[in-house]
């Protein structure tokens, strides 16, 4: 099973392995957090020799047994002599300080290369071995050894107390789900993985235990999830120890609490008059949590253990007592407990009705238990399907897609009612819309044509929401077609539906380049207002009114209405795109980071999320990460399934390949994007054709560049886009010759069209053209102005590029030195080497050249690699020499 959700921890471990120091790191985490799995991955992280020892509790009474096992595994001649001496010491005369000194001297004397030593569960070793290893762990400098130890607690009296520590916290909810879904299984459901993730509390071992037992129940044919989830046994000993220390009264209350998700204290008080004493004991022990008048067992592993420890007869008797006690205090609990003691036809339907109320109040985990219990006792009745439909719709409106899909699919298997079939299939489409999956418009139309007359109000709503979906995919013909069919149901449509349809028309208009409808106001409330705000903000983005769009999205995201969750999450994605289109790289990166924290499991708009990840990595100059994200993004996007995402991904890849100077890759990606983009009509959507003109010019393919510019200009007719005006003006200047080119660049910059990022890009191109004409001072000034603008936008990748150009342009050419090795360097690299030889530090060089320290470090690293040197002293020796060459003009390199 792959190691999931521990990338940051692995990075920390890798930094210790590759670091210059010989040091130790303690990995600390409670049972089941995955310490062993994490440490086991160390073997794959480097090519260094790795020694792995897992402590054996059975040998913990034998002095120095753990140390001798470690020395044997290291198998070094010097250390083997120490191990032999310890084994010959039958009387135990050798003291811990003496052994510690022997081991430290041996590590210094050994001739082996760098070694990584991993001790798992080091706190289970015998005390003397712990003392010796703990002593040595603080004195590893010069031993060419890196030590990793894992333990459950960092106790003050521990020999390893004070070591640098990596604490393993709970695994994230999404990572827990991914881990469970990666396990091989014959039959399971996504909902089962999510239920286990919610119950395990981030403990990987607990999750695996619960999931394994759950799969056993599923393969036995019990499709409803058991309540509570059965524990796997790994934590039974700990649970038994905790429960065994309770008083009889507290244990009895714990038994009662294990029977339901939560219980009313007044209900339990009717059964046990001395309940408050027991409750205080349980609260003090941290075994239960209290919310208002309710109590519940927070640890679902403990709840499962307590539940399983009761005999069936005791459980039934307790359910009966709780049902009777709750008759006038908690109707929800009464019906729940009655479902275990009396068979009544109305019980499952009432449980489902209660579940709707619980979902409405935000208590989804509580509601799921009621639903699963209802499905356990009456899964296949028509009324069950009708109530499940309501539950699924409520869950969808709260963003609980996994459970919504589970229950709508269950209802689909049960019902033959055409109105329910319409609602359930339409709800399935809506989930796919929100997730960014590909849904053919013909499927939506076919569903409405066949079943729409059975629920025309819902049919109208589905068509209007579908129109929004296809409009956002830039498939305007499909969106318009859905709106045309929606007019057939206009008489049955709600005000909410009509408002969404109107906003869909506005969005279609704005995507096509129109702005006439932006001034229309729509006074609505509830979900209709949320949808209206979302679409109005999106229309403002396409009209390049970025500040207004930003304010609109912020207003929607600040709403605390639970029924607005899907609109709010979509607003978060649209806010990112708004910032990208505005050229505000810093804000876009921050918003993407917020998305990663809020929904890392890619629940919403999966293709767009992957596109944002690629863009972010490129914008921060992390090309390696961008390539990794791009490979993942290609699995979610294809020219047929989502042409807009596919084209945007190609455009992004092409633009940053142009920035890197990889012109072949750039022209391939941009040509593909431009080809797909022809179907979208409005060139401001994709924004790739100006980049295509630029890369063709740099490749010397001026005829093709001219044709690309003519296509862009012909498609720009009637569009009033500041960005487009700047992009076209820059393209014309790039294609022009001589003084005309400089004049066109000046006109483009004087027009004040476009945003900061586009003006900075135009300035950078202008500087290159100025340099080519020998106007070096003007070129440098233009580059410095461009750098300021890129810094203002937070465009790190572009800033680094300008730094590199400034470094190249300001280097004084250096005459080849006497050492032939210096001939391996370019002129500007020899100049940099000479600055180092003069004793200038990196910070001083950066200040002299108006570049960042990071740029100087990158260039020096390249010089070291070329010359095969490892220090500034060695470089100084190679670069030493007298005299300097006369300054020669240096042509800025092609991007």
């Amino acid at each position: 099973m792959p190691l999931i959700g521990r990338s940051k921890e692995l990075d920390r471990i890798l930094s210790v392995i590759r670091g210059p120091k010989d040091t130790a790191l303690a990995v600390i985490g409670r049972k089941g957090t995955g310490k062993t799995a994490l440490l086991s991955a160390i073997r794959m992280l480097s090519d260094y020799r790795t020694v792995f020892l897992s402590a054996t509790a059975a040998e913990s009474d034998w002095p120095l047994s753990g140390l001798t096992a470690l020395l044997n595994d290291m198998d070094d001649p010097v250390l083997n002599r120490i191990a032999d001496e310890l084994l010959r010491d039958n009387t135990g005369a050798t003291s811990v300080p003496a052994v510690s000194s022997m081991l430290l001297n041996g590590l210094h004397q050994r001739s082996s290369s760098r070694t990584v030593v991993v001790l798992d569960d080091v706190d289970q070793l015998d005390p003397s071995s712990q003392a010796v290893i703990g002593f040595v762990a603080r004195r590893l400098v010069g031993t060419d050894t890196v030590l990793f130890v894992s333990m459950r607690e960092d106790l003050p009296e521990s020999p390893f107390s004070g070591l640098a520590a990596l604490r393993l916290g709970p695994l994230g909810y999404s990572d827990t789900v991914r881990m469970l879904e990666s396990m091989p299984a014959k039959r399971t459901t996504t909902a089962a993985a999510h239920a286990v993730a919610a119950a395990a509390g981030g403990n990987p071992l607990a999750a695996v235990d619960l999931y394994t037992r759950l799969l056993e129940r599923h393969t036995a044919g019990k499709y409803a999830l058991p309540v509570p989830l059965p524990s796997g046994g790994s934590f039974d000993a700990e649970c038994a120890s905790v429960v065994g220390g309770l008083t009889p009264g507290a244990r009895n209350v714990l038994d009662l609490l294990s029977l339901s998700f939560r219980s009313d204290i007044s209900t339990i008080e009717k059964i046990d008059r001395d309940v408050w004493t027991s409750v205080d004991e349980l609260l003090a022990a941290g075994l239960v949590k209290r919310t208002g008048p309710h109590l519940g067992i927070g640890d679902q592993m403990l709840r499962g253990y307590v539940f399983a420890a009761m005999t069936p007869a005791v459980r039934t008797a307790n359910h009966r007592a709780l049902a009777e006690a709750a008759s006038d205090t908690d109707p929800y609990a009464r019906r729940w407990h009655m479902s275990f003691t009396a068979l009544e036809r109305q019980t499952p339907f009432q449980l489902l009705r209660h579940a709707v109320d619980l979902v409405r109040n935000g208590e989804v985990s509580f509601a799921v238990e009621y639903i699963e219990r209802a499905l356990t006792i009456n899964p296949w009745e028509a009324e069950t399907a009708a109530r499940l439909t309501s539950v699924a719709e409520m869950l969808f409106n709260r963003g609980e897609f996994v459970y919504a899909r589970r229950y709508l699919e269950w209802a689909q298997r049960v019902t033959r009612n055409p109105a329910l079939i319409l609602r359930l299939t339409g709800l399935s489409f809506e989930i796919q819309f929100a997730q960014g999956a590909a849904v053919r418009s013909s499927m939506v139309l076919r569903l409405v044509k066949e079943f729409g007359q059975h629920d025309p109000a819902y049919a109208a709503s589905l068509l209007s929401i579908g129109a929004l979906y296809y409009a956002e995919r830039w498939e305007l013909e499909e969106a318009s077609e859905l709106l045309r069919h929606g007019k057939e149901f206009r008489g049955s449509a709600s005000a909410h539906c009509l408002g969404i349809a109107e906003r869909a028309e506005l969005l279609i208009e704005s995507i096509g380049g129109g702005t006439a409808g932006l001034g229309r106001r729509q006074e609505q409330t509830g979900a209709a207002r949320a949808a209206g705000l979302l679409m109005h903000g999106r229309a403002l983005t396409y009209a390049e009114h970025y500040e207004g769009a930003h304010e609109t999205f912020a207003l929607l995201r600040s709403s605390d209405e639970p029924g607005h969750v899907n609109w709010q999450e979509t607003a978060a994605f649209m806010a990112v795109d708004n910032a990208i289109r505005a050229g505000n790289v810093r804000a876009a990166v921050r918003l993407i980071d917020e998305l990663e924290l809020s929904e890392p499991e890619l629940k919403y708009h999966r293709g767009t999320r992957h596109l944002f990840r690629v863009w972010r990595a490129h914008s921060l100059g992390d090309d390696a990460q961008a390539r990794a994200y791009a490979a993942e993004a290609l699995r979610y996007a294809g020219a047929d399934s989502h042409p807009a995402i596919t084209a945007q991904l190609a455009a992004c890849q092409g633009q940053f390949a142009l920035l890197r100077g990889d012109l072949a890759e750039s022209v391939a990606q941009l040509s593909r994007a431009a080809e797909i983009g022809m179907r979208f009509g409005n060139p401001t959507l994709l924004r790739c054709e100006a980049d295509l003109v630029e890369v063709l010019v740099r490749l010397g393919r001026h005829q093709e560049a001219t044709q690309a510019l003519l296509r862009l200009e012909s498609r720009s007719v009637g569009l009033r886009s500041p960005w487009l005006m700047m992009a076209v003006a820059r393209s014309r200047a790039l294609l022009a010759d001589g003084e005309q080119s400089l004049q066109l660049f000046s006109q483009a910059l004087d027009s004040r069209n476009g945003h900061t990022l586009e003006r900075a890009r135009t300035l950078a191109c202008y500087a290159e053209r100025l340099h080519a004409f020998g106007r070096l001072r003007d070129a440098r000034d233009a580059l410095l102005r461009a750098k300021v603008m890129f810094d203002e936008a937070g465009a790190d990748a572009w800033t680094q590029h300008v730094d590199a150009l400034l470094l190249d342009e300001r280097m004084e050419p250096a005459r080849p030195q006497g050492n032939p090795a210096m001939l391996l360097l370019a002129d500007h690299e020899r100049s940099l080497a000479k600055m180092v030889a003069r004793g200038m530090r990196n910070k001083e060089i950066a200040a002299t050249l108006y570049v960042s320290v990071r740029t100087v470090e990158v260039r020096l690293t390249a010089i070291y690699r070329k010359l095969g040197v490892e220090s500034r002293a060695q470089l100084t020796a190679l670069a030493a020499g007298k005299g300097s060459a006369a300054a020669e003009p240096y042509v800025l390199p092609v991007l």
Side-chain angles (χ1 to χ4, degrees):
M1 188 170 63
L3 188 64
I4 293 173
R6 297 297 189 190
S7 57
K8 292 182 179 179
E9 290 82 355
L10 288 173
D11 289 343
R12 171 80 183 279
I13 288 174
L14 187 59
S15 68
V16 173
I17 294 175
R18 293 179 177 175
K21 294 183 179 180
D22 306 322
T23 187
L25 179 69
V27 179
I28 303 172
R30 59 188 289 260
K31 178 180 178 180
T33 52
K35 301 185 297 297
T36 301
L38 181 65
L39 294 181
S40 297
I42 291 178
R43 296 188 180 96
M44 308 297 178
L45 294 180
S46 72
D47 295 329
Y48 295 125
R49 179 170 180 255
T50 302
V51 178
F52 191 99
L53 176 66
S54 183
T56 302
E59 298 181 358
S60 61
D61 293 334
W62 293 81
L64 298 176
S65 59
L67 179 61
T68 54
L70 173 62
L71 295 177
N72 288 332
D73 286 348
M74 294 185 71
D75 195 20
D76 181 271
V78 175
L79 300 181
N80 286 342
R81 289 196 294 271
I82 298 175
D84 292 341
E85 186 173 342
L86 293 177
L87 291 173
R88 288 194 298 269
D89 183 20
N90 296 324
T91 62
T94 307
S95 65
V96 167
V99 174
S100 300
S101 179
M102 290 170 53
L103 178 58
L104 191 58
N105 290 333
L107 290 174
H108 280 284
Q109 294 172 12
R110 71 190 188 96
S111 59
S112 303
S113 59
R114 190 173 182 86
T115 303
V116 179
V117 178
V118 182
L119 300 178
D120 191 21
D121 292 328
V122 71
D123 47 357
Q124 294 186 27
L125 291 175
D126 60 279
S128 53
S129 293
Q130 291 188 47
V132 172
I133 297 172
F135 174 85
V136 172
R138 294 175 175 79
R139 297 164 176 83
L140 290 175
V141 176
T143 64
D144 212 9
T145 303
V146 177
L147 175 65
F148 295 95
V149 298
S150 74
M151 61 189 79
R152 292 189 183 180
E153 293 182 274
D154 184 17
L155 300 176
E157 64 273 15
S158 168
F160 305 97
S161 177
L163 289 181
L166 171 62
R167 300 184 185 277
L168 288 188
L171 201 61
Y173 180 90
S174 304
D175 291 326
T176 304
V177 172
R178 289 173 54 211
M179 177 191 72
L180 296 175
E181 291 183 334
S182 69
M183 295 173 57
K186 293 182 179 179
R187 183 196 305 178
T188 185
T189 64
T190 303
H194 280 258
V196 169
N203 189 298
L205 179 58
V208 171
D209 273 0
L210 288 171
Y211 199 58
T212 302
R213 290 292 301 274
L214 196 57
L215 294 183
E216 293 174 0
R217 302 286 287 269
H218 271 245
T219 54
K222 297 182 179 180
Y223 299 105
L225 300 177
V227 180
L229 295 177
S231 62
S234 297
F235 293 84
D236 283 358
E238 290 185 9
C239 292
S241 175
V242 170
V243 173
L246 297 175
T247 62
R251 175 59 194 270
N252 182 57
V253 171
L254 198 65
D255 285 346
L256 295 175
L257 293 176
S258 72
L259 297 178
S260 60
F261 186 83
R262 73 178 188 194
S263 299
D264 191 287
I265 301 176
S266 61
T267 300
I268 300 178
E269 191 175 15
K270 295 179 181 179
I271 301 174
D272 183 355
R273 293 296 179 184
D274 197 26
V275 65
W276 287 106
T277 302
S278 301
V279 167
D280 288 342
E281 180 181 348
L282 295 173
L283 289 172
L287 301 183
V288 301
K289 57 183 180 180
R290 179 178 178 181
T291 305
H294 297 102
L295 290 173
I297 301 177
D299 187 344
Q300 295 303 300
M301 297 293 292
L302 175 64
R303 181 186 171 193
Y305 170 80
V306 174
F307 181 87
M310 285 185 286
T311 64
V314 171
R315 282 200 295 267
T316 301
N318 284 337
H319 275 302
R320 187 176 291 111
L322 286 168
E324 182 178 351
S327 58
D328 57 352
T329 57
D330 191 346
Y332 286 10
R334 178 178 179 276
R335 184 57 64 177
W336 166 263
H337 292 296
M338 284 183 61
S339 71
F340 292 89
T341 61
L343 295 178
E344 296 183 5
R345 184 178 180 279
Q346 289 301 314
T347 294
F349 308 137
Q350 290 180 347
L351 289 175
L352 291 174
R353 186 184 301 115
H354 293 333
V356 170
D357 294 337
L358 291 170
V359 172
R360 186 177 290 113
N361 293 330
E363 300 179 90
V364 175
S365 297
F366 194 3
V368 166
E369 291 200 0
Y370 274 58
I371 300 167
E372 295 297 334
R373 181 59 186 165
L375 297 181
T376 299
I377 57 181
N378 193 355
W380 307 117
E381 207 165 321
E383 189 173 346
T384 299
R387 295 189 182 276
L388 278 179
T389 302
S390 300
V391 169
E393 290 173 340
M394 289 287 299
L395 288 167
F396 168 74
N397 290 332
R398 295 192 63 90
E400 299 289 344
F401 296 164
V402 171
Y403 290 116
R405 184 177 294 281
R406 170 174 172 78
Y407 300 132
L408 77 84
E409 290 176 351
W410 193 300
Q412 283 176 323
R413 293 195 298 267
V414 177
T415 188
R416 295 294 181 268
N417 185 315
L420 284 183
I421 292 174
L422 172 66
R423 288 172 60 191
L424 292 167
T425 310
L427 182 59
S428 178
F429 287 155
E430 290 188 57
I431 293 174
Q432 294 178 71
F433 293 162
Q435 291 179 328
V439 181
R440 294 195 301 273
S441 60
S442 59
M443 297 172 62
V444 179
L445 289 173
R446 180 180 176 183
L447 174 68
V448 172
K449 289 177 181 178
E450 187 171 354
F451 296 100
Q453 69 274 18
H454 299 287
D455 192 343
Y458 181 80
S461 176
L462 177 62
L463 290 171
S464 61
I465 292 174
L468 293 179
Y469 165 77
Y470 291 108
E472 187 56 30
R473 289 168 59 97
W474 303 344
E475 299 171 12
L476 303 187
E477 291 184 6
E478 289 81 353
S480 298
E481 186 179 11
L482 262 61
L483 287 179
R484 285 196 300 272
H485 282 82
K487 292 179 180 178
E488 300 176 10
F489 303 96
R490 192 174 185 87
S492 303
S494 64
H496 176 200
C497 173
L498 295 174
I500 291 179
E502 181 181 346
R503 288 298 168 178
E505 292 175 352
L506 170 63
L507 183 60
I508 293 170
E509 177 187 348
S510 63
I511 291 174
T515 59
L518 288 177
R520 293 199 300 265
R521 294 291 179 182
Q522 188 179 36
E523 299 297 333
Q524 290 184 322
T525 59
R529 180 175 181 271
L533 281 173
L534 183 70
M535 292 305 105
H536 185 70
R538 194 56 169 154
L540 289 173
T541 294
Y542 287 125
E544 300 183 27
H545 299 326
Y546 303 116
E547 287 298 325
H550 170 75
E551 293 174 2
T552 302
F553 294 138
L555 179 63
L556 178 55
R557 295 177 65 193
S558 64
S559 171
D560 57 358
E561 290 291 333
H564 297 175
V565 169
N566 296 332
W567 301 114
Q568 290 168 336
E569 293 295 339
T570 301
F573 282 83
M574 291 183 176
V576 174
D577 188 65
N578 182 69
I580 292 174
R581 290 177 176 276
N584 194 339
V585 178
R586 183 177 292 104
V589 169
R590 175 178 53 79
L591 291 170
I592 292 172
D593 290 341
E594 290 176 3
L595 278 179
E596 292 296 284
L597 293 174
S598 63
E599 290 293 343
E601 74 271 18
L602 299 175
K603 182 166 69 174
Y604 292 94
H605 310 287
R606 293 177 178 176
T608 304
R609 169 68 65 82
H610 285 293
L611 174 63
F612 288 164
R613 286 176 168 175
V614 174
W615 179 89
R616 178 189 180 279
H618 275 310
S619 297
L620 297 178
D622 192 340
D623 294 329
Q625 189 177 58
R627 285 192 295 271
Y629 283 147
E632 191 175 5
L634 288 173
R635 297 185 306 171
Y636 287 89
D640 295 328
S641 63
H642 203 324
I645 292 294
T646 305
Q648 289 178 84
L649 180 61
C652 175
Q653 297 278 77
Q655 181 187 97
F656 287 101
L658 170 63
L659 178 63
R660 294 193 307 270
D662 189 350
L663 302 185
E665 171 69 11
S666 178
V667 75
Q669 293 283 7
L670 291 171
S671 297
R672 185 186 185 211
E675 181 182 358
I676 299 174
M678 291 297 292
R679 72 177 72 177
F680 303 136
N682 186 350
T684 67
L685 298 176
L686 199 53
R687 299 186 172 185
C688 69
E689 289 165 286
D691 291 335
L692 180 59
V693 171
E694 182 175 342
V695 71
L696 289 171
V697 169
R698 295 185 182 282
L699 287 169
R701 294 157 60 174
H702 291 82
Q703 185 175 358
E704 295 176 60
T706 301
Q707 293 173 350
L709 177 57
L710 290 174
R711 285 196 302 270
L712 175 58
E713 290 179 323
S714 65
R715 298 174 65 211
S716 304
V717 175
L719 298 177
R720 304 174 64 180
S721 163
W723 174 89
L724 186 58
M725 294 175 68
M726 173 63 77
V728 170
R730 181 173 69 243
S731 300
R732 288 172 178 168
L734 284 168
L735 270 169
D737 293 326
E739 289 295 328
Q740 183 187 12
S741 172
L742 300 182
Q743 292 174 5
L744 290 175
F745 270 119
S746 297
Q747 292 172 10
L749 293 168
D750 290 341
S751 65
R752 298 293 177 183
N753 288 319
H755 44 56
T756 301
L757 185 63
E758 286 303 317
R759 288 184 59 79
R761 289 190 60 186
T762 303
L763 260 175
C765 292
Y766 183 36
E768 181 182 358
R769 191 60 55 93
L770 286 169
H771 198 288
F773 283 108
R775 295 169 56 177
L776 304 185
R777 183 179 296 276
D778 292 339
R780 182 197 62 205
D781 291 343
L783 279 178
L784 290 174
R785 287 164 56 201
K787 179 180 177 180
V788 170
M789 291 183 182
F790 285 133
D791 281 337
E792 180 183 341
D796 292 353
W798 289 99
T799 302
Q800 292 170 15
H801 170 67
V802 173
D803 278 347
L805 294 181
L806 285 167
L807 182 62
D808 289 343
E809 190 260 337
R810 287 189 59 81
M811 286 297 156
E812 55 180 76
R815 184 170 56 237
Q817 303 300 309
N819 193 321
M822 296 301 292
L823 296 175
L824 296 173
L825 303 181
D827 286 347
H828 62 276
E829 290 175 326
R830 283 195 293 272
S831 297
L832 181 57
K834 191 165 183 70
M835 289 184 179
V836 173
R838 290 202 298 263
M840 296 178 67
R841 311 308 299 171
N842 290 357
K843 187 174 182 180
E844 296 170 333
I845 296 172
T848 301
L849 300 174
Y850 300 103
V851 299
S852 67
V853 175
R854 174 61 179 164
T855 299
V856 176
E857 292 172 348
V858 170
R859 290 301 179 93
L860 279 178
T861 300
I863 292 172
Y864 287 175
R865 191 182 302 114
K866 282 187 177 182
L867 298 180
V869 300
E870 298 180 353
S871 66
R872 298 175 76 91
Q874 294 178 6
L875 178 60
T876 299
L878 286 176
K882 296 183 179 180
S884 60
E888 300 176 4
Y890 186 79
V891 178
L892 287 177
V894 173
L895 283 175

